[in-house]
Amino acid sequence: MAPEAAKYPLVDAIRQSPPFDITHVPDDSWVKGKVIVITGAASGFGAGFLTRWAAAGAVVVAADINVAKGDQLVRDVQRNTGNSRLYFVHCDVTDWQSQVNLFREAVKLSPHGGIDVVVANAGIATSKGLFEDPKALDVTSPPPPDLSILNVNLTGVAYTAHLALWYLQRNPGSSAANPKCVPSETHRDRHLILMASIAGLVSLPGAALYNASKHAVVGLYRSLRSGSFVHGVRVNLICPYFIDTPLLSLMGRAILAGGRMGKVEDVVEAATRFAADPCVVGRAVSVGPKIKVKQDADGEWSLVEGEDKDAEQRAIWEIYLHDFEDSDVFQRRIVALYNRIVEIRGWTGWAQDLVAAVAYRLRSYWT
């Protein structure tokens, strides 16, 4: 048997918090006074976030492309919660300037001139035609595929994340992300929540572009969480299963017939645990239907039917738990070899490569 590979934990290096404690429920009051920006806030998850966090006393800037629905929702939540510090801002997430205007307006509306939490929630699930089944491409001017899903779910999220990273690290009076912080003493921090999907973890048949967009968001999260600590920003991810929202199509509901869908309230619960607890850094969860399960001695979970005192009800499951606990020894050795090449060549090699680079650009210019 080959010897066990050496472990090179990176958890401390990237400031990642310990595995998410599903049983720990933070106090909703921990979001009181935080300035939270939510895209896609007029319905579904966004509306759920707005409603819960408004009731807890947060300052919420709700953004959506649907002005009538978004504005009415904010008015209703204001009336129901008594929280007057709720605002609606029109935003088309596919338009860069529209998102710039959103963040600038949020800063103006903020009591302290900054943003504490950004939730990149806007998304769509359908487009014109099926990407996997091209039509009429034999005509003189074949139509391009409808990429609106990528425009909203990928480009829109990238715009939101990019702006969030700028504004969060400039949040006055905020504390840098720290998994060892004391929550009661760290009321305001810098937090980005990315919303992906179960389609970012597995491939759903007949949904190539949706799958691609959500896989991209997962990739964005896995990249950002390993470097955002440099700017004191914590990044967390939520991947909902099939949830009973307007985003779920009739076809999707038909396919799920006989099974179970998740509830918006459980997704809101997961996001609230992230938003309220500043100690949760670089973690991801999947949220599905609430089921009764039991864990065996080997750590495997099984579905429980009937009564069992050792069973528990769960809808939230952590994913990507151990990515940074054990970095691959092969990758580490290869990178070490590449670095050694740089050391051997030294400044002479650097100067030669720099001259060659300038010469290449000059040749490209003149030719």
Side-chain angles (χ1 to χ4, degrees):
M1 180 181 296
E4 183 179 352
K7 293 186 177 182
Y8 300 97
L10 300 175
V11 174
D12 290 339
I14 66 165
R15 312 292 197 277
Q16 186 183 37
S17 61
F20 192 53
D21 184 358
I22 302 295
T23 63
H24 173 63
V25 181
D27 190 338
D28 273 25
S29 66
W30 288 357
V31 303
K32 184 177 181 179
K34 287 189 177 184
V35 176
I36 305 175
V37 174
I38 308 170
T39 63
S43 62
F45 304 141
F49 301 152
L50 166 64
T51 303
R52 173 127 174 212
W53 297 339
V59 180
V60 184
V61 179
D64 203 281
I65 196 171
N66 190 326
V67 175
K69 195 170 184 179
D71 185 66
Q72 186 60 54
L73 174 65
V74 167
R75 292 175 186 274
D76 291 343
V77 177
Q78 283 178 333
R79 183 176 60 255
N80 295 335
T81 63
N83 185 345
S84 62
R85 297 188 300 176
L86 310 177
Y87 310 95
F88 175 76
V89 177
H90 169 264
C91 181
D92 176 357
V93 295
T94 67
D95 186 294
W96 168 251
Q97 190 58 49
S98 184
Q99 290 221 43
V100 169
N101 295 341
L102 164 64
F103 278 81
R104 288 177 175 173
E105 185 64 19
V107 169
K108 291 179 182 178
L109 295 169
S110 169
H112 53 70
I115 300 170
D116 301 303
V117 183
V118 175
V119 186
N121 172 70
I124 61 175
T126 58
S127 59
K128 298 177 182 178
L130 189 63
F131 183 82
E132 298 93 319
D133 186 21
K135 303 290 186 182
L137 297 187
D138 55 350
V139 298
T140 303
S141 299
D146 179 7
L147 301 181
S148 55
I149 286 181
L150 296 183
N151 295 336
V152 175
N153 297 1
L154 177 52
T155 302
V157 169
Y159 284 168
T160 303
H162 192 61
L163 286 162
L165 293 170
W166 167 269
Y167 281 95
L168 289 172
Q169 62 184 286
R170 290 165 176 79
N171 182 16
S174 63
S175 300
N178 180 5
K180 299 179 181 179
C181 71
V182 179
S184 60
E185 300 175 2
T186 315
H187 181 63
R188 292 183 42 240
D189 64 333
R190 310 160 194 171
H191 186 199
L192 171 62
I193 300 178
L194 297 174
M195 297 295 297
S197 163
I198 193 69
L201 308 176
V202 298
S203 295
L204 307 180
L209 294 182
Y210 185 71
N211 293 335
S213 69
K214 293 305 182 178
H215 271 73
V217 174
V218 171
L220 180 64
Y221 153 75
R222 298 183 73 181
S223 298
L224 290 179
R225 69 168 177 173
S226 61
S228 60
F229 71 89
V230 173
H231 305 295
V233 178
R234 63 189 181 104
V235 181
N236 294 306
L237 173 78
I238 300 177
C239 292
Y241 179 67
F242 296 100
I243 308 293
D244 190 8
T245 71
L247 202 64
L248 188 58
S249 66
L250 176 60
M251 178 64 71
R253 293 173 186 273
I255 292 173
L256 290 172
R260 296 183 65 182
M261 290 186 291
K263 300 294 183 183
V264 171
E265 62 194 50
D266 291 317
V267 177
V268 173
E269 174 66 24
T272 302
R273 295 185 185 200
F274 282 159
D277 191 346
C279 293
V280 181
V281 182
R283 288 297 170 183
V285 295
S286 179
V287 184
K290 189 168 289 184
I291 55 178
K292 185 185 294 186
V293 292
K294 182 178 180 180
Q295 191 174 29
D296 62 25
D298 296 325
E300 296 296 325
W301 292 91
S302 59
L303 196 62
V304 174
E305 298 182 29
E307 295 298 324
D308 189 324
K309 63 181 181 61
D310 295 322
E312 59 178 288
Q313 292 276 356
R314 293 187 64 168
I316 303 172
W317 303 84
E318 185 163 11
I319 53 181
Y320 299 118
L321 273 75
H322 309 294
D323 280 9
F324 295 106
E325 293 178 8
D326 192 2
S327 60
D328 186 79
V329 66
F330 172 77
Q331 294 179 13
R332 186 180 180 90
R333 288 171 177 168
I334 289 297
V335 172
L337 287 174
Y338 292 156
N339 289 340
R340 182 58 180 155
I341 293 173
V342 175
E343 292 174 3
I344 292 173
R345 296 188 68 204
W347 286 105
T348 301
W350 174 82
Q352 291 173 344
D353 289 347
L354 186 60
V355 171
V358 173
Y360 175 82
R361 292 299 299 170
L362 289 174
R363 286 197 302 271
S364 299
Y365 177 78
W366 291 110
T367 59

